[in-house]
Amino acid sequence: MKYCSTCGDQVEQKIPQGDNRHRYVCVSCETIHYQNPRIVAGTVPVLDGQVLLCRRAIEPRYGYWTLPAGFMENSETTLEAAARETLEEALATVTMEDLYTVIHVPHIDQVHMFYRATLNSTDFGAGEESLETRLFPLNDIPWDELSFPTVRRTLELFLEDHGNNHYPVHVEDIRYRMGKK
Amino acid sequence: MKYCSTCGDQVEQKIPQGDNRHRYVCVSCETIHYQNPRIVAGTVPVLDGQVLLCRRAIEPRYGYWTLPAGFMENSETTLEAAARETLEEALATVTMEDLYTVIHVPHIDQVHMFYRATLNSTDFGAGEESLETRLFPLNDIPWDELSFPTVRRTLELFLEDHGNNHYPVHVEDIRYRMGKK
């Protein structure tokens, strides 16, 4: 951020009065431009013990498999965002079930929230952001070709919980580790 | 938003190629300025069956009682944000427990997330944003003087669940209703 979105003059980094963090503040109109984490919402779409994954047609991680998920938009709920992303990326309608994982990724200022969901039918396909979509048996998840750590972690938890037929909400963090891809 | 924070030129509202929503897009450098919901994180701080509330020293809802909560910052988790807000507003340290409520407020582009927490001691007070803080017995919550619908709803649920000694995660929405304050 270099310029004020309110008046167009320059911004500087400083700690506003009564605050304790550096913010972008306009040198002219003094608007404080706060920056906050974003939510990525998605589903674990299941049908007959298989999970639907999408192979990404966009960067980052082009060609890798992901659960359908994307940035939550203004004016929607996380459930609506998760269902929308599932429709957009996998052309699939689902019956939304319970919140399943909340995974913080603080080094990129994101919170990923996945809901369990049941595919309404085998009528799915590849949306614009997917190369293909496919149902994977739980013992045949493409672990070496998964897109993101939060997708991997959600699928790991799902496998464990599927064995117990009990799906509590999991709140976890994924931290950046030096030297780890 | 009137100006591009990247180059300072004007923005216009349009639907970028491959998108289906209006965004602010710079007429000059073509940067797309996405806007996304923000997370408010807080706690239900409990000690010996009483809940700690803060009377707000700031607008909106100056003078009304709230659970300690505030906007999540970059580089933190929702747990960290909730504990930080509890320290800032109530000068209280807590032992964080499970995620409790996730309440969407789509008409103001917010998601409120409250965790249950146990006060580590009776050593608390009024932070800069609070007029006073006080422990309330669960049968003496100041229902007519609560600050926000998500605080009220979280306390309602807490009372119900306290009776059952079982605190599942609640995911709910609060929608704007015409004519309702």
Side-chain angles (χ1 to χ4, degrees):
Chain A
M1 175 175 288
K2 291 182 179 173
Y3 299 94
C4 175
S5 56
T6 304
C7 80
D9 209 336
Q10 291 190 318
V11 293
E12 61 181 351
Q13 287 229 37
K14 69 178 205 182
I15 301 176
Q17 199 173 9
D19 202 340
N20 52 21
R21 284 164 198 260
H22 279 87
R23 313 283 183 186
Y24 289 106
V25 181
C26 179
V27 298
S28 176
C29 75
E30 298 185 353
T31 297
I32 304 168
H33 298 280
Y34 296 96
Q35 297 185 308
N36 302 90
R38 291 191 293 175
I39 294 174
V40 169
T43 60
V44 184
V46 172
L47 187 68
D48 297 335
Q50 301 187 90
V51 62
L52 187 69
L53 299 180
C54 310
R55 202 152 73 84
R56 287 172 63 82
I58 52 172
E59 294 292 352
R61 304 294 277 165
Y62 179 100
Y64 287 79
W65 292 95
T66 186
L67 291 164
F71 286 112
M72 180 184 181
E73 301 276 3
N74 278 351
S75 303
E76 65 185 2
T77 70
T78 58
L79 274 107
E80 290 166 349
R84 175 182 51 73
E85 290 288 345
T86 307
L87 183 59
E88 287 178 3
E89 297 185 357
L91 308 181
T93 60
V94 290
T95 301
M96 294 295 290
E97 296 174 24
D98 288 342
L99 178 62
Y100 184 53
T101 57
V102 177
I103 307 182
H104 306 103
V105 198
H107 60 280
I108 53 170
D109 307 320
Q110 293 181 6
V111 181
H112 291 212
M113 298 175 67
F114 286 93
Y115 286 83
R116 290 187 301 116
T118 302
L119 280 169
N120 290 345
S121 72
T122 54
D123 188 13
F124 58 81
E128 284 187 10
E129 297 183 0
S130 304
L131 297 169
E132 60 175 315
T133 53
R134 197 195 296 175
L135 281 169
F136 286 90
L138 292 183
N139 61 3
D140 196 27
I141 302 286
W143 295 108
D144 293 336
E145 298 167 56
L146 292 180
S147 57
F148 301 113
T150 57
V151 169
R152 169 182 299 276
R153 186 62 188 142
T154 297
L155 287 169
E156 285 173 355
L157 291 164
F158 189 79
L159 240 74
E160 289 175 30
D161 291 340
H162 184 78
N164 303 320
N165 196 27
H166 175 57
Y167 302 91
V169 178
H170 298 276
V171 179
E172 299 195 351
D173 310 332
I174 287 178
R175 306 273 179 178
Y176 177 74
R177 281 175 282 178
M178 291 280 283
K180 186 169 179 294
K181 198 165 60 175
Chain B
M1 175 175 288
K2 290 182 179 174
Y3 298 93
C4 175
S5 56
T6 303
C7 80
D9 210 338
Q10 291 191 318
V11 294
E12 61 180 351
Q13 287 231 35
K14 68 178 207 182
I15 300 176
Q17 200 173 7
D19 201 340
N20 52 22
R21 285 164 198 258
H22 279 88
R23 314 282 182 186
Y24 288 106
V25 181
C26 179
V27 297
S28 176
C29 75
E30 297 184 353
T31 297
I32 303 168
H33 298 281
Y34 295 97
Q35 297 185 307
N36 301 90
R38 290 191 294 175
I39 293 174
V40 169
T43 60
V44 185
V46 172
L47 187 69
D48 298 334
Q50 299 187 91
V51 62
L52 187 68
L53 299 181
C54 309
R55 203 152 72 84
R56 288 172 63 82
I58 52 172
E59 295 291 351
R61 303 295 277 164
Y62 179 100
Y64 286 81
W65 292 95
T66 185
L67 290 165
F71 287 111
M72 181 185 180
E73 299 277 3
N74 278 351
S75 304
E76 65 184 3
T77 69
T78 58
L79 273 106
E80 290 166 349
R84 175 182 53 72
E85 291 288 345
T86 307
L87 182 59
E88 288 178 2
E89 297 185 356
L91 308 181
T93 60
V94 290
T95 301
M96 294 295 290
E97 296 174 26
D98 288 342
L99 178 62
Y100 185 53
T101 57
V102 177
I103 307 182
H104 305 102
V105 198
H107 60 279
I108 52 170
D109 305 321
Q110 293 180 6
V111 181
H112 291 213
M113 297 173 68
F114 286 92
Y115 285 83
R116 290 187 300 117
T118 302
L119 280 169
N120 291 344
S121 72
T122 53
D123 187 13
F124 57 81
E128 285 187 9
E129 298 183 0
S130 305
L131 297 170
E132 60 175 316
T133 52
R134 197 193 300 174
L135 281 169
F136 287 90
L138 292 181
N139 62 4
D140 196 26
I141 302 286
W143 294 108
D144 293 336
E145 298 166 57
L146 293 179
S147 56
F148 301 114
T150 58
V151 168
R152 168 182 298 278
R153 186 61 188 142
T154 296
L155 287 170
E156 286 172 355
L157 290 164
F158 189 80
L159 241 74
E160 289 175 29
D161 291 340
H162 183 77
N164 302 319
N165 196 28
H166 176 57
Y167 302 90
V169 178
H170 298 274
V171 180
E172 300 196 350
D173 310 332
I174 287 178
R175 307 272 179 179
Y176 177 74
R177 280 175 282 176
M178 290 282 283
K180 184 171 178 297
K181 199 163 58 175

